[in-house]
């Protein structure tokens, strides 16, 4: 019996030494991992700014505010990315517009943050993952809305809601649904009940 216990102790000691050796090797390998990860992240987030993008940011700065009309999921994408930007300010109200759409007023400063965030996603996201494509569509739509600004012009409205009418055409302007303030959680609960 003592021989068996002795053998088991030797095997346990040997296994412990092997684990210690493997653990030491893993520690050395992972010690350089944060530096490599930071370098890769810095390279990925270092987005080159073109003259066109800079000019668009200047156009956004000229707008005192812009109304964004979009699906709730698009609004979540917008706030998830633009919310990380220094210039972004969450609007005081996000209004439910029916059919899971929301309307929110963004300041010119928040538009700048939105454009910076979308441009970054366009440049760094992997093609085909959906983020790059959605960011590109949103960026282009904001760009279209900011074209031709003038002091005496119309308010800026960014509509991310293309639809097809029963006859196959796209409506030029959809009448506004009366704006009724809703709390995001209340609207989400109401949507859950409908589905």
């Amino acid at each position: 019996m003592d021989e068996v216990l002795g053998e088991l102790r030797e095997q346990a000691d040997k296994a412990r030494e092997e684990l210690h050796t493997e653990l030491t090797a893993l520690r050395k390998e992972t010690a350089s991992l944060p530096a490599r990860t930071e370098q890769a992240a810095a390279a990925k987030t270092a987005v080159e700014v073109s003259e066109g993008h800079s000019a668009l940011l200047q156009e956004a700065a000229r707008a005192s505010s812009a109304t964004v009309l979009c699906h709730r999921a698009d609004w979540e994408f917008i706030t998830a990315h633009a919310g990380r930007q220094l210039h972004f300010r969450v609007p005081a109200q996000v209004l439910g517009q029916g059919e899971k759409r929301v309307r929110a007023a963004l300041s010119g400063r928040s538009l700048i943050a939105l454009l910076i965030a979308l441009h970054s996603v366009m440049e760094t996201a992997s093609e085909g993952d959906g983020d790059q494509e959605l960011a590109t569509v949103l960026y282009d739509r904001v760009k279209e809305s900011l074209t031709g600004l003038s002091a005496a012009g119309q308010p800026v409205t960014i509509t991310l809601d293309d639809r097809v009418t029963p006859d196959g055409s796209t409506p030029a302007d959809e009448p506004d649904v009366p704006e009724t303030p809703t709390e995001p959680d209340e609207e989400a609960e109401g949507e859950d009940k409908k589905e």
Side-chain angles (χ1 to χ4, degrees), residues 22-96:
E22 288 181 32
L23 181 60
T24 303
L26 280 173
R27 283 183 180 154
K28 286 180 184 178
E29 188 177 319
T30 57
S32 66
L33 187 60
R36 286 185 288 174
T37 304
E38 287 174 13
Q39 290 170 351
K44 191 172 187 177
T45 58
V47 175
E48 192 171 314
V49 177
S50 67
E51 286 183 34
H53 178 64
S54 182
L56 184 57
L57 295 179
Q58 291 175 25
E59 288 298 306
R62 292 177 52 210
S64 64
S65 69
T67 301
V68 177
L69 175 65
C70 63
H71 189 277
R72 172 185 275 293
D74 292 334
W75 178 249
E76 289 173 2
F77 181 86
I78 287 169
T79 57
H81 291 283
R84 299 179 203 151
Q85 296 295 322
L86 172 67
H87 296 294
F88 190 76
R89 299 293 181 265
V90 177
Q93 285 186 317
V94 176
L95 305 169

Side-chain angles (χ1 to χ4, degrees), residues 74 77 81 121 125-138:
D74 292 334
F77 181 86
H81 291 283
V121 171
S126 299
E127 192 172 328
D129 73 357
D131 285 351
Q132 184 183 68
E133 292 78 6
L134 181 56
T136 301
V137 168
L138 295 174

Side-chain angles (χ1 to χ4, degrees), residues 7 12 31 42 55-56 65-66 68 74 77 81 91 96 117 143-144 146 152 154 165-166 170 178 183 187 190-192:
E7 280 184 40
L56 184 57
S65 69
V68 177
D74 292 334
F77 181 86
H81 291 283
K143 184 177 179 178
E144 288 170 16
L146 293 177
Q154 297 294 317
T165 60
T170 56
E183 293 296 320
E187 186 174 330
E191 289 174 9
D192 291 342

Side-chain angles (χ1 to χ4, degrees), residues 97-118:
Q97 294 293 284
E99 299 181 21
K100 299 181 185 180
R101 295 175 305 150
V102 295
R103 179 183 299 268
L106 295 180
S107 66
R109 183 176 180 186
S110 288
L111 274 179
I112 289 171
L114 174 58
L115 288 166
I116 291 169
L118 293 173

